[in-house]
Amino acid sequence: MIQRPLIFSPLNPISPQVSTPTTPLVNAVFPKPNRGWIALSSSFQLPELRLQNYQLTLPPLVCSASDSVTNQPSMASQDEQDPRISKISSVIRVIPDFPKPGIMFQDITTLLLDTRAFRDTIDLFVERYRGKNISVVAGVEARGFIFGPPIALAIGAKFVPLRKPNKLPGEVISEEYSLEYGTDIMEMHVGAVQAGEHALIIDDLVATGGTLCAAIRLLERVGVHVVECACVIELLGLMGRERLGDTPLFVLVSST
Amino acid sequence: MFAAENGLKGDPRLQAISDAIRVVPHFPKQGIMFQDITTLLLDHKAFKDTVDIFVDRYRDMDISVVAGVEARGFMFGPSIALAIGAKFVPLRKPKKLPGEVIAEAYELEYGSDCLEMHVGAVKQGERAIVIDDLVATGGTLSAAIRLLERVGAHVVECACVIGLREAKGQCRLNGKPLYILVEPREVDGCY
């Protein structure tokens, strides 16, 4: 089983709405008193185990750097994990029951408030993609617009926004994709990318993979090779990685 | 104030930035000449120059908050924030931000809209700039300024890539200065 430690803190200066979960979570630990942020997992897979002891032993956070050959997450040991990852994970805030009951929303806005952690997030992607002949960074509206442009600027690529319908002013191509209920549409400007270009797709989080798949299809329709999808967070257990098929996925932190 | 009148007169980067912006006539409706910055984002040098000009201006102003207006403000704001060591605060349409928010309504041509900011994102006394791609009437930027001032931040300036010149007299929003790189392009410039 992939170990994904959960850090719960009752101290949350931004959101007073965050509440203590009433069901036990695997590896739930309480952080040191002056750490303010929550890194809970979603409640999708509630474990059978009950933690005996809520001492401050922090299991290592897993950096799910995908192995592009096998397309499986690697189980990074504590020794291999980049030290920046645990800080990034710790400053992502979880908001329970948003946008609806049962969803544990991974809020990256708190990451953006931590200048060091935000810088490290971008650096981790830039270090991976610099010098790899990637000429396009495509970002999914709207949180992909926050991470994509700094990466694009650092690696010398163009930034291409992938948007909801009727936002892009010029001629577009559209791709429909499924939501839990109903469908949505993603658009890209005609002419933004050229056949043969190598692209990254950036979003803050991957869950079911539906949005990323639509983005991959949009780019492939115009002859672009999608090298990898990159997200800050992967929600495990939703088959997102599998849904991307042959396209590798790279994430910084995982959550159940 | 325009960058060309404030230290960057004749700076060739400004012309390249202007040239990289595409005009789409009659979007979203008849009569509007839409200034499309997505073509600027495709020009790596011009995009980098855009960010660099803002960074050079704000780097030594002790700015700790860059607030960006959804969604095109998100394309410029974070890079500026990272370079000057400030935090990035997204100002969003209603119901997008998951935590506790404060909201500010503002007027549209027909009806009104609302801008939200997370409670606790900005602290009293912090020095902030507001970023958006374009300023027209200033309604959106005014709402952004009010949001920040309500929590006690000091809005040092609003910064936009594109702005209308007839905002002279209105080159201050709520008394806040406005810094603009280029004027809107005419329809002849569209491609």
Side-chain angles (χ1 to χ4, degrees), chain A residues 154-196:
Chain A
I155 69 173
K158 45 193 186 184
F159 179 71
V160 175
L162 305 179
R163 298 211 66 175
K164 301 280 167 147
N166 307 313
K167 301 293 184 73
L168 292 170
E171 192 187 354
V172 297
I173 60 169
S174 302
E175 188 69 35
E176 195 171 5
Y177 62 104
S178 295
L179 300 172
E180 189 181 7
Y181 300 108
T183 61
D184 206 342
I185 291 174
M186 179 184 294
E187 295 185 338
M188 179 173 74
H189 266 147
V190 168
V193 295
Q194 317 301 322

Side-chain angles (χ1 to χ4, degrees), chain B:
Chain B
M1 75 195 76
F2 283 86
E5 294 152 11
N6 193 46
L8 293 184
K9 183 177 165 69
D11 189 317
R13 294 177 298 177
L14 294 175
Q15 187 60 50
I17 290 166
S18 181
D19 290 345
I21 294 166
R22 172 172 70 160
V23 180
V24 182
H26 311 304
F27 182 90
K29 57 184 194 185
Q30 256 339 84
I32 308 260
M33 296 301 176
F34 190 91
Q35 305 288 315
D36 178 19
I37 50 88
T38 67
T39 45
L40 170 62
L41 308 176
L42 300 180
D43 181 333
H44 177 263
K45 175 155 195 327
F47 184 20
K48 184 169 187 311
D49 287 343
T50 303
V51 171
D52 285 349
I53 290 170
F54 289 126
V55 168
D56 288 342
R57 180 172 180 79
Y58 298 116
R59 167 181 281 133
D60 297 319
M61 284 195 185
D62 201 24
I63 307 288
S64 61
V65 173
V66 174
V69 180
E70 169 164 18
R72 288 183 287 268
F74 291 6
M75 299 177 194
F76 298 95
S79 301
I80 298 166
L82 286 164
I84 69 174
K87 39 194 191 185
F88 178 71
V89 176
L91 305 180
R92 299 210 66 175
K93 297 288 161 94
K95 302 188 170 44
K96 302 294 185 72
L97 292 171
E100 191 186 356
V101 297
I102 59 170
E104 189 68 38
Y106 61 102
E107 296 300 308
L108 299 171
E109 189 181 6
Y110 300 110
S112 65
D113 206 338
C114 199
L115 211 54
E116 295 186 342
M117 179 173 76
H118 265 146
V119 168
V122 176
K123 307 279 185 290
Q124 182 160 9
E126 293 206 77
R127 289 167 58 80
I129 56 172
V130 183
I131 304 281
D132 206 354
D133 65 321
L134 179 146
V135 53
T137 64
T140 313
L141 288 179
S142 293
I145 293 166
R146 287 195 300 273
L147 271 176
L148 290 159
E149 291 187 333
R150 275 168 60 185
V151 296
H154 171 53
V155 178
V156 173
E157 196 159 81
C158 294
C160 298
V161 180
I162 307 160
L164 283 107
R165 186 166 280 284
E166 52 261 25
K168 62 162 123 184
Q170 277 217 331
C171 72
R172 293 182 157 255
L173 296 166
N174 297 8
K176 298 300 167 190
L178 179 60
Y179 184 74
I180 299 166
L181 298 193
V182 299
E183 295 184 70
R185 291 187 71 177
E186 300 299 315
V187 66
D188 286 340
C190 73
Y191 53 92

